[in-house]
């Protein structure tokens, strides 16, 4: 089955840029979605179809996808961005949905 | 306002059964595919199952196939997950989630319930 690989943790100072990667075989040819999950809360969709944002998600969050890596970029990081972030895609071969292992973003 | 509210969780012994429900409101439930996703406390999200709009097509993760059954009652705006032959490793918070766009394959999950804890232990 398809595997999505994320770094367990990313740390960044306030005001800086955080980049969270999601690796997968030829992932650039697939649509990748990103979710933010804060402690004790349900996940929230923050980027879909590689780079689109749902209503209400700030422009500071953006996504890209090429080759074997999809990336969620958070610019001008704020304390409120501290959360776990998960990438997700649909595996066409198995007709299953796959999540990455998640990345904990720590704001220093 | 879209709302998804899970219920039916709790403590069950290994080998036992449990049925989760997810009550939907604020949208035309019968027009959307729905999913179940679970999360072991402290760990990541894992997709469990999905059902299409009219309940005719279902898919399961390999870890639950043959033990779990997803279903829906569009007249009651409710999604279900029947869980049989439960194992300790099924212990998790279970979320129901809405598939954003039935016309687009692989669309994201745009609304999630608050989650319900299922604990499998003797």
């Amino acid at each position: 089955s398809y595997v999505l690989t994320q770094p367990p943790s990313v740390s960044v100072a306030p005001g800086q840029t955080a980049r969270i990667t999601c690796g997968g075989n030829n992932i650039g040819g697939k649509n990748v979605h990103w979710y933010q999950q804060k402690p004790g809360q349900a996940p929230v969709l923050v980027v879909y179809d590689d780079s689109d944002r749902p209503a209400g998600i700030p422009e500071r969050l953006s996504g890209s996808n090429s080759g074997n890596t999809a990336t969620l970029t958070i610019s001008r990081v704020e304390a409120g961005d501290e959360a776990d972030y998960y990438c997700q895609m649909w595996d066409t071969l198995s007709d299953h949905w796959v999540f990455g292992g998640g990345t904990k973003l720590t704001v220093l | 306002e879209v709302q998804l509210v899970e219920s039916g969780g709790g403590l069950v012994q290994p080998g036992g059964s449990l049925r989760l429900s997810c009550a939907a409101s604020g949208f035309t439930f019968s027009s959307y595919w729905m999913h179940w996703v679970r999360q072991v406390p402290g760990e990541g999200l894992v997709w469990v199952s999905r059902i299409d709009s009219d309940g005719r097509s279902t898919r399961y993760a390999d870890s639950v196939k043959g033990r779990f059954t997803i279903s829906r009652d569009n007249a009651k705006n409710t999604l279900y997950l029947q869980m049989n032959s439960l194992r300790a490793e099924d212990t998790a918070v279970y979320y129901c989630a809405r598939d954003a766009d039935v016309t687009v394959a692989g669309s994201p999950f745009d609304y999630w319930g608050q989650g319900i804890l299922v604990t499998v232990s003797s």
Side-chain angles (χ1 to χ4, degrees):
Chain A
S1 60
Y2 199 88
V3 176
L4 295 175
T5 301
Q6 296 183 239
S9 63
V10 168
S11 299
V12 64
Q16 299 303 304
T17 297
R19 294 180 178 84
I20 298 172
T21 59
C22 176
N25 186 33
N26 292 321
I27 195 174
K30 309 178 188 300
N31 285 334
V32 175
H33 318 305
W34 291 90
Y35 300 86
Q36 176 192 71
Q37 186 181 33
K38 296 183 178 179
Q41 298 183 18
V44 172
L45 179 67
V46 293
V47 167
Y48 66 97
D49 292 350
D50 297 339
S51 58
D52 291 332
R53 279 182 305 276
I57 301 301
E59 293 183 4
R60 299 185 300 104
L61 278 70
S62 62
S64 63
N65 187 12
S66 179
N68 293 319
T69 305
T71 303
L72 174 69
T73 301
I74 307 174
S75 305
R76 302 181 300 283
V77 166
E78 304 171 354
D81 297 325
E82 192 162 277
D84 294 325
Y85 292 84
Y86 296 89
C87 58
Q88 180 213 29
M89 48 78 69
W90 175 55
D91 180 10
T92 57
L93 289 180
S94 63
D95 195 10
H96 289 183
W97 278 253
V98 181
F99 287 95
T103 298
K104 180 177 181 59
L105 176 66
T106 299
V107 180
L108 301 171
Chain B
E1 178 193 6
V2 172
Q3 284 198 330
L4 298 171
V5 180
E6 300 94 341
S7 61
L11 175 64
V12 61
Q13 291 188 340
S17 298
L18 209 58
R19 188 177 82 158
L20 304 182
S21 299
C22 170
S25 60
F27 66 102
T28 305
F29 180 69
S30 60
S31 296
Y32 288 84
W33 290 16
M34 297 294 296
H35 301 262
W36 288 99
V37 176
R38 70 184 183 184
Q39 184 174 36
V40 174
E43 298 187 9
L45 302 171
V46 176
W47 174 79
V48 172
S49 183
R50 74 95 173 138
I51 188 168
D52 69 354
S53 306
D54 56 15
R56 294 179 183 177
S57 173
T58 59
R59 292 291 185 269
Y60 299 92
D62 292 346
S63 58
V64 306
K65 194 171 185 179
R67 300 187 300 121
F68 290 12
T69 302
I70 190 172
S71 63
R72 63 192 298 160
D73 185 334
N74 286 341
K76 295 183 177 179
N77 292 337
T78 303
L79 173 72
Y80 302 101
L81 185 67
Q82 177 67 43
M83 303 184 294
N84 298 331
S85 302
L86 283 162
R87 307 165 180 168
E89 54 264 36
D90 295 318
T91 295
V93 173
Y94 285 74
Y95 296 96
C96 61
R98 190 182 83 165
D99 195 292
D101 189 344
V102 68
T103 66
V104 177
S107 56
F109 304 171
D110 59 352
Y111 288 94
W112 297 63
Q114 84 286 354
I116 191 83
L117 178 62
V118 171
T119 303
V120 183
S121 175
S122 55

